[in-house]
Amino acid sequence: MGSIQILFVLLFSLFLANCYSKQEDFLLCLSKNNTTQNVYTPNSPTYSSILEYAQKSPTWLNSSHPNFIASPKEESEIRPVILCSKKIGLQIKIKSGGHDYEGISYRSKFPFVMLDLSNLNKIKIDLNEETVWVQTGATLGQLYYSIAKKSKVHAFPSGVCFSIGTGGIISGGGIGALMRKFGLVADNVVDARVMDVNGKILDRKMNEDLFWAIRGGGGASFGVILAWKLKLVRIPEKLTVFTIRRKLEGNRNLLQKWEKIAHQLPEDLLIRVIIQNAVSSAGNDTKKHVEFSFQAQYVGPVDKLIPLLKQYFPEFNLERKDCFQKITSAGAEKECHEVSWIQSILYFHFRKLTDAPETLLEKSIPTKKSYNKGTSDFVKTPIPESGWEMIERLFLEEESPQIIFEPLGAKFDEISESEIPFPHRKGNLYNIQYLNYWSDNSESISSQKIGWMRKLYKEMEPYVANSPRTASLNYRDLDFRTNSEGYSYSKAKIWGEKYFSGNFERLAKVKSKVDPKNFFRNEQSIPPYSTNI
């Protein structure tokens, strides 16, 4: 064996010994605090199932795994995990729902503990006050279900995908089907409970700056969010949902009309656009084409919706009778339903309206994995014909891409850019979410799929907001660059101002106060403020 090989073996042996020592020290530290019951190592029988359930975006399944998984059932169990991790030198990655696009809650280059909050899911509703306290590990589905069981005229304006954890979507800002009327998820938070780096629990009264930061600035940069107090909103007993489908070819003018007026529609009406590939058949021949769907929600009954559509979108040709007919075929050109709020949640997530509300409580691990890469943009001026032509051309190169366009305006225009860290307010027409899906996660396939997404993102540059080009934290993208080893504030601004614009500096100053030594950190966490370049 050569000297270089011997040196490598020795260094690797020292690395393993150091890791083993840290594991032993961490468990010993926890045992002194009587907190080992819900902590798992890779040798624990339940470790793999907990990790697999955490990976809602399993693209990074083969990346580094946590040295420990802590799944507390009581908030008091979190403090020893923080203090012992600090003492031993382990990072903490915080997971509520596990939907983060880049998997940073369950992977790291360094030894770490995954703090799995999914067992902290208590929900307490006060209809007299019209508020709800929800622990951060509860999913949106659990929250929606609990509200619907209590009231037919209350809702909470949050995301479409109901398996997302409240901890992540709220701390990232959060958009949803009710946002044009009621604002972002984070706009409807009235209090919170957060455990800081010293294990102290803080609320809004104890630290107003921290309360500002976690509503859209990413909670995992500042501490462990334990629970949110949310403002419930009043809705009618009946809402209306509908979908209009068209081929992209020959109908771009309808999309361009949507771009110009969707953000100006009455606040009760949200019409989003979903673009994806489809296959048409003619005899024995099949041909791929690009189609788009207008998927919409009106906060009111059909009879009030139809006059609005005749005014703004007579091209939809939607009649009252269409909303009370049974749809006999999937992918019909138009469909419409008058529904309860909880049914609208199922509809927007492409579930059957006849599915039981308990569908929202699903916590099973999918047997068929779907891998993906996502990113986002905001748009301030309508995309010209050349942009739509480019999108269609690139979509036909790929198998399962998707773009979702969600209109802003209404409530968004009433809230200032600095009210919370989420700055994408007046002047933005809509948000874009890009996705590409694949089923084979081999290195060659995944590289090709991610490469296509990067190509599309680059081609979109002339058509979206710029200086800086902006993005949504809830669709985190590490292609925007990541924190270097020194967690430099000036370098972090490169990606930070995409998400937060002028609010990034204030976020860093809050970080300096609540976590000056940067214990809570990840690839795109807020670093402490510094004037050093």
Side-chain angles (χ1 to χ4, degrees), residues 78-312:
I78 297 175
R79 185 174 187 270
V81 173
I82 293 174
L83 298 182
C84 289
S85 296
K86 279 172 57 181
K87 180 179 179 181
I88 306 305
L90 293 169
Q91 282 191 5
I92 284 183
K93 294 296 190 84
I94 304 166
K95 183 203 79 73
S96 57
H99 274 265
D100 56 312
Y101 277 13
E102 298 284 7
I104 63 173
S105 62
Y106 51 81
R107 66 186 184 113
S108 175
K109 296 178 182 177
F110 307 98
F112 74 106
V113 180
M114 185 181 86
L115 183 57
D116 170 27
L117 300 176
S118 60
N119 291 324
L120 298 177
N121 56 15
K122 293 185 178 66
I123 298 168
K124 186 177 181 181
I125 298 171
D126 185 336
L127 289 182
N128 291 325
E129 192 181 58
E130 295 188 302
T131 60
V132 53
W133 271 105
V134 54
Q135 284 187 308
T136 192
T139 64
L140 291 183
Q142 290 170 321
L143 176 60
Y144 295 156
Y145 179 83
S146 298
I147 295 170
K149 292 287 283 185
K150 288 270 189 179
S151 172
K152 294 181 179 180
V153 294
H154 286 90
F156 184 68
S158 191
V160 169
C161 186
F162 52 75
S163 58
I164 290 175
T166 57
I169 189 169
I170 298 175
S171 69
I175 62 176
L178 290 171
M179 66 182 178
R180 299 193 69 250
K181 186 175 180 66
F182 300 110
L184 292 168
V185 189
D187 292 329
N188 292 277
V189 178
V190 294
D191 204 348
R193 297 173 62 251
V194 186
M195 186 172 290
D196 71 7
V197 68
N198 299 312
K200 183 180 180 181
I201 296 177
L202 306 172
D203 60 15
R204 180 174 185 171
K205 290 180 181 177
M206 297 171 72
N207 197 319
E208 189 74 36
D209 286 338
L210 177 60
F211 179 69
W212 174 85
I214 62 174
R215 289 177 297 149
S221 292
F222 304 97
V224 180
I225 299 169
L226 303 175
W228 303 101
K229 187 178 184 182
L230 310 173
K231 177 176 62 179
L232 297 177
V233 299
R234 284 186 172 265
I235 54 167
E237 285 195 33
K238 291 297 182 181
L239 286 70
T240 308
V241 293
F242 67 89
T243 301
I244 306 293
R245 299 179 179 88
R246 297 281 192 276
K247 285 185 177 181
L248 183 57
E249 187 178 6
N251 290 289
R252 293 186 194 128
N253 60 328
L254 188 55
L255 268 180
Q256 290 173 309
K257 177 180 178 179
W258 172 90
E259 283 190 278
K260 294 174 182 177
I261 69 171
H263 67 290
Q264 299 175 335
L265 294 173
E267 64 177 15
D268 287 325
L269 180 58
L270 176 138
I271 304 176
R272 70 175 189 165
V273 175
I274 301 172
I275 296 182
Q276 55 197 9
N277 287 337
V279 176
S280 55
S281 299
N284 294 324
D285 297 327
T286 59
K287 184 179 179 182
K288 184 165 69 172
H289 67 271
V290 182
E291 71 171 21
F292 65 91
S293 302
F294 293 108
Q295 189 186 46
Q297 176 177 273
Y298 177 68
V299 187
V302 170
D303 290 338
K304 290 187 176 181
L305 167 67
I306 298 300
L308 284 177
L309 292 184
K310 289 187 182 302
Q311 178 183 351
Y312 293 105

Side-chain angles (χ1 to χ4, degrees), residues 172-175 184 215-217 378 408 412 416-425 471-473 499-500 503:
I175 62 176
L184 292 168
R215 289 177 297 149
F378 287 87
L408 305 181
F412 275 74
S416 75
E417 294 181 0
S418 59
E419 180 70 21
I420 64 172
F422 183 98
H424 317 290
R425 303 290 186 168
S472 172
L473 182 65
Y499 298 131
F500 308 115
N503 294 325

